[in-house]
Amino acid sequence: MSLLTLLPFIVLIGAMFLMTRSAKKKQQQAADMRNQMQPGSGIRTIGGMYATVKEVNEDTVLVDAGPGVDLLFAKNAIGAVLTDDEYNRIVHGIEHDLKSDADIVPDDASSLTATDDSDSASDASADDKAVDLGKKDVADEPADEAAEAKTDAEPKKTDGDSEAK
């Protein structure tokens, strides 16, 4: 056999070796993550349930899924161990951002605008004047014949008696 015919087999065996090696690395990282669990840690199961670790045993984990709800899981069923900030953000909706020390924007803009005495007098007179939004009141509209013609054009409902046979 020549080296040229063996080359595809060598490349295939090398690719299989690299793939199994990366899979073993991922399995080892997951096992390390599960072994680092401590009581009080937030977790996500492989089924997508979020809970807090109460007790860690050799092959099982006792978790608190809510008030009075304790569940026992196999360690392999733990998908991720979450940081405290991530767990609180997902489960409780608490945003904790240490990067931003800036002031929080208020809900209303009244505290953002400065009011002076001279401006308040002109604002008071402007508030008294009605704002025209282009809408007309029903009382202002004259009764026109087009509206009456529209009501005459609509078919009138009957009790079901029909003269057409």
Side-chain angles (χ1 to χ4, degrees), residues 15-34:
M16 288 173 47
F17 174 73
L18 290 175
M19 285 190 289
T20 57
R21 186 173 148 211
S22 67
K24 283 183 182 180
K25 272 182 152 178
K26 287 182 182 178
Q27 286 177 348
Q28 184 63 36
Q29 287 175 347
D32 290 342
M33 179 253 329
R34 289 181 187 116

Side-chain angles (χ1 to χ4, degrees), residues 42-51 77-82 86-87 90:
I43 60 150
R44 181 183 66 234
T45 66
I46 58 174
M49 185 180 75
Y50 293 92
I78 306 303
V81 177
L82 307 172
E86 186 178 12
Y87 181 78
I90 294 169

Side-chain angles (χ1 to χ4, degrees), residues 5-106:
T5 56
L6 291 177
L7 186 63
F9 293 114
I10 294 172
V11 170
L12 184 63
I13 290 172
M16 288 173 47
F17 174 73
L18 290 175
M19 285 190 289
T20 57
R21 186 173 148 211
S22 67
K24 283 183 182 180
K25 272 182 152 178
K26 287 182 182 178
Q27 286 177 348
Q28 184 63 36
Q29 287 175 347
D32 290 342
M33 179 253 329
R34 289 181 187 116
N35 289 333
Q36 292 176 356
M37 275 188 298
Q38 298 175 353
S41 301
I43 60 150
R44 181 183 66 234
T45 66
I46 58 174
M49 185 180 75
Y50 293 92
T52 305
V53 176
K54 281 184 92 172
E55 183 180 316
V56 179
N57 298 320
E58 192 167 322
D59 293 331
T60 60
V61 178
L62 183 66
V63 298
D64 180 23
V69 180
D70 294 336
L71 303 171
L72 185 66
F73 281 96
K75 269 191 177 179
N76 293 340
I78 306 303
V81 177
L82 307 172
T83 62
D84 290 339
D85 290 339
E86 186 178 12
Y87 181 78
N88 287 332
R89 180 182 58 81
I90 294 169
V91 175
H92 303 295
I94 299 171
E95 292 289 335
H96 184 67
D97 188 13
L98 296 176
K99 298 174 192 170
S100 174
D101 291 335
D103 293 335
I104 298 174
V105 178

